[in-house]
Amino acid sequence: MNSAYCSVAIDGPAGAGKSTIAKAAAARFGFIYVDTGAIYRTVGLAAQRAGIDRAEAEAVTALLPELSIRMDYGPDGTQRMFLNGEDVSAAIRQPEISMYASAVSAVPAVRAFLLDMQRDMAKTSSVVMDGRDIGTVVLPDAGLKIFLTASAEARAKRRLAELLQKGEDCTLQQVMDDMLQRDAQDANRAAAPLRAAEDAVLADTTDFTLEESIEYVCGLIRERFDLEEK
Ligand code: DC
């Protein structure tokens, strides 16, 4: 906590509510919200468009020099992702890109390629950053680390509700299968696997409403940094 800026690292499995909670908490304290999954999704989209098989680590690595990935914030504060100048913020949310993102994120060269971009954000602003390795690798000195989880059933139900709202056609079983496969892949990879930092606060939101989860995380931020909400 030597920097002039506060860093909050939120890690956890898919569907734990990280992005919604992190975004709301960041807004309340005037911090920038950084969704690092969106950055991996952008590489995943590039791999899919290049026709690369998800498992081909070498082909993914060879693609990296051709990629220009940029992150920006719209007037409403929403994070936008650009791939070689194109706004791909909507395209990276297609369900099949989740699995691509998970596959490319296991490639060490991809993680190295994206590391500075994530760290630089925390050098120039107070941030709430969410992902899988924020507390362990990206911001090991973050002033507050939270590992957010919930039961697989609760996570799958939340993810299903989101997808149905977007008009996607899928079942609870499909969502659960995809989510568990992605979690296993993210947790079992050699490079920066999904895991809680030793000094992370563990938060299980299975029985919390969204509002209660946001309140809980804001309470941790208030206490840790001795801050009031804006
Ligand atoms: O948070 P998300 O579901 O949008 O992330 C998509 C994938 O990106 C996830 O399955 C694993 C990868 N990821 C990662 O490896 N490290 C991060 N810090 C964030 C995401």
Side-chain angles (χ1 to χ4, degrees):
M1 254 192 280
N2 300 328
S3 142
Y5 300 108
C6 305
S7 297
V8 180
I10 303 187
D11 291 301
K18 299 186 300 291
S19 57
T20 315
I21 295 167
K23 195 188 222 170
R28 288 201 195 173
F29 290 94
F31 292 7
I32 286 182
Y33 164 55
V34 186
D35 170 3
T36 65
I39 311 176
Y40 287 95
R41 284 172 179 271
T42 304
V43 178
L45 178 71
Q48 185 226 32
R49 285 182 173 178
I52 294 173
D53 186 280
R54 292 203 300 250
E56 276 186 76
E58 275 177 28
V60 174
T61 303
L63 183 67
L64 295 177
E66 293 168 31
L67 303 186
S68 153
I69 293 183
R70 194 168 58 81
M71 190 160 85
D72 209 342
Y73 288 84
D76 59 349
T78 315
Q79 179 178 325
R80 310 214 61 89
M81 293 305 308
F82 294 84
L83 172 61
N84 298 335
E86 175 192 345
D87 186 339
V88 292
S89 311
I92 59 171
R93 297 295 156 197
Q94 301 163 81
E96 79 240 42
I97 299 302
S98 302
M99 216 53 97
Y100 262 98
S102 177
V104 301
S105 72
V107 179
V110 170
R111 306 204 72 83
F113 180 70
L114 301 177
L115 190 58
D116 286 345
M117 179 181 193
Q118 298 169 79
R119 285 190 175 152
D120 286 349
M121 294 300 298
K123 284 184 190 153
T124 49
S125 336
S126 288
V127 293
V128 179
M129 192 176 288
D130 81 3
R132 304 294 188 287
D133 64 334
I134 310 305
T136 51
V137 176
V138 179
L139 302 176
D141 297 327
L144 174 62
K145 301 178 188 177
I146 302 170
F147 193 79
L148 207 63
T149 189
S151 71
E153 198 190 346
R155 293 189 286 116
K157 281 185 176 159
R158 290 174 193 168
R159 188 43 66 93
L160 177 69
E162 263 173 34
L163 291 171
L164 293 179
Q165 206 184 9
K166 280 194 205 160
E168 300 283 347
D169 181 24
C170 47
T171 65
L172 182 64
Q173 196 57 50
Q174 281 167 341
V175 174
M176 175 88 91
D177 291 348
D178 275 11
M179 201 186 72
L180 293 179
Q181 189 192 338
R182 195 147 69 91
D183 286 348
Q185 208 163 271
D186 295 344
N188 295 322
R189 67 185 178 214
L194 161 69
R195 68 178 171 80
E198 274 175 23
D199 49 351
V201 178
L202 302 183
D204 184 332
T205 66
T206 305
D207 299 319
F208 284 11
T209 63
L210 181 58
E211 202 41 53
E212 285 167 343
S213 305
I214 294 170
E215 232 354 279
Y216 176 71
V217 166
C218 287
L220 292 175
I221 297 176
R222 266 197 302 275
E223 209 174 284
R224 184 64 58 97
F225 299 105
D226 197 15
L227 278 180
E228 282 310 319
E229 290 168 32
K230 300 215 160 174

